[in-house]
Structures are given as C-alpha cells and as structure tokens.
Amino acid sequence: DAKTTQPTSMDCAEGRAANLPCNHSTISGNEYVYWYRQIHSQGPQYIIHGLKNNETNEMASLIITEDRKSSTLILPHATLRDTAVYYCIVKGNNNDMRFGAGTRLTVKP
Amino acid sequence: EPEVTQTPSHQVTQMGQEVILRCVPISNHLYFYWYRQILGQKVEFLVSFYNNEISEKSEIFDDQFSVERPDGSNFTLKIRSTKLEDSAMYFCASIVGENTEAFFGQGTRLTVV
C-alpha cells in the first residue's frame, strides 16, 4: 500500500556519504516526499521533507528529480549511529501516512 | 525539545482483556496518529485523528480498536478483547499542521499472553 520503492538494504563506509534512493513514480502534484528513520525498535525519527525543491538541514540533504518521480536522501558523512532503517514516504494533505519496508542502511567502520 | 510521551513502556495482558495505551502529544499539535509494529515487520498505520474525530483509518483498525482524546492532552488507543496477534510495539505520533514533520513517541510494547 506504500507509494514508494526503495532498495531493501545498503552498506556505507563510515565517514563517506550515504545516498539512499527512492522511487515514487505515481506521486501527485500536492504530495510531499518525507524521510524518516528507525534505529533499532525506537520510534521513527523525522529527517527531512520536500515538495519539489532540494532541501538541506543539519541531518541530511534531499534531492528531488525535476519530474518528481524519484528522490535521494544524502547523509553527507555517515557515522555508525546512522545505521537504521530509512523510510521514504509520499504524503499529501490527507492524514494517511503509511510506511513501506524501507532501506536498511548499515554503516561500517 | 518537545516530545511525545507514551505510557506504559511495556504492558503484558491476558488474551481477551482490554488494554488502553496512552499518549501525550506535543501541546500545540493538532493531528494525532497511532501505528503498530509487529516484531520484525514494518511500521503499520492504524488511525489518524483531527478535530476530535477519526480522519483516516486503515483496514487493521476494526471494531476492536477505538481512539479518544478525553481531556485535551491525552490521546488513547483502546484495544478490546486482545488477541495474541495484537502483540506489537504501538507508536503514537503528532504533527502541528499539514505538511509538517511528525514526532513519534518511544512506543508501548504490548505482549498478549
């Protein structure tokens, strides 16, 4: 029921950039792209979101393609504590926010 | 930093009993959510709540479940006649407005025996 497709798992070397892709080819004009992560069994943590422009905050950057059918979350300098499941979610103005299976990112020393 | 608080952190209940999971959302937030996560599986949407009524619910959220905001601060999820398969982590979340970030609590681990 999720509107996004993500790789099941990825590895990244500590200190390197982690680039996590997401496909959302059926995204509608008013739908935002959100990224959350879940470390172990903790509550999901918000990372970043955007509509069509690229966004950057203290945690990450979000690059959205011009046609908005895909996006990439970039963690510029991954640390071991960034090991988590990362979820890409498409959400409009309704209150239905559903998680897919996400990408399990493992940061290795 | 403001946070969403959930109580209890762990709850063990006997099959067939009723449980109430409690959440205190961030004080100026207007939209509230419940999710569950069965061990090893993905986070599943249960219900969203706005303006004192359910705004969206999933196919999981059947007559066994109900939500309430009894006093303007707490947001509760009631599960009637619990079943073994209700064992899961239950997460509450809140957002201040549309197209804003959701804040999640640390969850209640429910074990039905």
Side-chain angles (χ1 to χ4, degrees):
Chain A
D1 49 0
K3 302 179 185 178
T4 62
T5 304
Q6 300 177 250
T8 303
S9 64
M10 293 182 65
D11 291 342
C12 177
E14 187 179 19
R16 303 298 294 269
N19 297 280
L20 292 91
C22 179
N23 286 320
H24 31 80
S25 58
T26 60
I27 193 169
S28 301
N30 67 342
E31 291 180 320
Y32 283 69
V33 180
Y34 290 79
W35 283 84
Y36 289 83
R37 72 181 182 183
Q38 187 177 30
I39 297 172
H40 197 49
S41 295
Q42 298 176 21
Q45 177 190 25
Y46 167 82
I47 301 173
I48 199 166
H49 75 288
L51 182 63
K52 53 183 178 180
N53 296 324
N54 298 337
E55 301 287 345
T56 296
N57 62 21
E58 65 279 3
M59 288 183 70
S61 294
L62 174 60
I63 308 299
I64 303 174
T65 58
E66 193 169 337
D67 64 7
R68 302 209 322 124
K69 293 185 177 182
S70 66
S71 60
T72 301
L73 177 75
I74 301 172
L75 307 178
H77 305 287
T79 71
L80 299 178
R81 287 179 294 181
D82 291 322
T83 292
V85 179
Y86 286 77
Y87 299 97
C88 169
I89 299 170
V90 166
K91 178 182 173 298
N93 289 335
N94 63 13
N95 290 319
D96 188 334
M97 184 171 75
R98 303 200 182 208
F99 289 72
T103 295
R104 182 172 297 278
L105 175 69
T106 302
V107 181
K108 299 186 173 181
Chain B
E1 183 174 298
E3 60 180 17
V4 175
T5 306
Q6 290 187 243
T7 56
S9 56
H10 294 87
Q11 171 108 35
V12 180
T13 190
Q14 291 205 323
M15 190 168 54
Q17 296 296 303
E18 174 182 287
V19 294
I20 297 176
L21 309 183
R22 302 182 192 278
C23 170
V24 179
I26 295 171
S27 62
N28 63 333
H29 285 196
L30 301 176
Y31 298 78
F32 314 108
Y33 300 80
W34 281 103
Y35 291 83
R36 78 174 185 189
Q37 186 174 32
I38 296 169
L39 186 64
Q41 298 186 22
K42 69 178 186 180
V43 178
E44 298 176 292
F45 170 77
L46 292 178
V47 66
S48 59
F49 193 85
Y50 170 71
N51 201 25
N52 284 321
E53 60 183 23
I54 291 174
S55 52
E56 302 281 346
K57 61 181 181 179
S58 72
E59 53 281 358
I60 301 169
F61 194 88
D62 59 21
D63 292 343
Q64 184 193 8
F65 295 90
S66 62
V67 289
E68 194 177 32
R69 189 158 158 79
D71 56 12
S73 61
N74 291 287
F75 179 51
T76 62
L77 174 69
K78 182 188 291 185
I79 309 175
R80 286 180 281 273
S81 189
T82 50
K83 301 175 285 201
L84 295 177
E85 53 264 39
D86 294 326
S87 295
M89 283 288 287
Y90 288 81
F91 293 107
C92 171
S94 69
I95 64 173
V96 65
E98 293 179 353
N99 302 321
T100 60
E101 65 192 272
F103 290 80
F104 284 79
Q106 287 307 299
T108 293
R109 180 173 297 283
L110 176 66
T111 302
V112 182
V113 298

